[in-house]
Amino acid sequence: YPLLFNVLVAVLVLGAVVVGYVNDEPWLVTLGLAWVGIDLLARYLDLFWDMLPRSLVFVGVGGVILLLAFVLERQRRGLVGRMDAR
């Protein structure tokens, strides 16, 4: 069931982003990308929570994930800006 749930979330999020972009709905694109971030954080914590105290490498990986989230947010702002300009 967990695999099925994760696939379902991925399909719904991708659908929200695509529908939001096609219909010029920035809130839907933002909601979809926010769910991507929440899901990534949840999967990261599920996988590495028990190992986190034993290794600082995972903290570094978390920093990389935060950097990726920052880059994705900048991309989302550009996408929403292009949608508003149309």
Side-chain angles (χ1 to χ4, degrees):
Y1 288 114
L3 180 62
L4 179 65
F5 175 75
N6 286 321
V7 170
L8 179 64
V9 167
V11 168
L12 287 173
V13 165
L14 181 62
V17 171
V18 169
V19 168
Y21 182 72
V22 169
N23 293 329
D24 290 329
E25 296 287 346
W27 69 271
L28 198 53
V29 173
T30 302
L31 182 68
L33 292 177
W35 273 108
V36 167
I38 291 168
D39 192 45
L40 280 174
L41 181 63
R43 295 309 127 234
Y44 177 77
L45 291 175
D46 282 347
L47 186 60
F48 296 120
W49 185 256
D50 292 334
M51 294 182 247
L52 197 57
R54 295 184 298 214
S55 176
L56 293 177
V57 172
F58 297 110
V59 174
V61 171
V64 170
I65 289 174
L66 288 173
L67 181 64
L68 178 63
F70 174 74
V71 170
L72 287 174
E73 172 61 17
R74 289 183 57 121
Q75 292 293 324
R76 183 200 64 83
R77 286 182 187 172
L79 179 66
V80 168
R82 284 187 299 223
M83 290 169 52
D84 288 340
R86 284 200 263 167

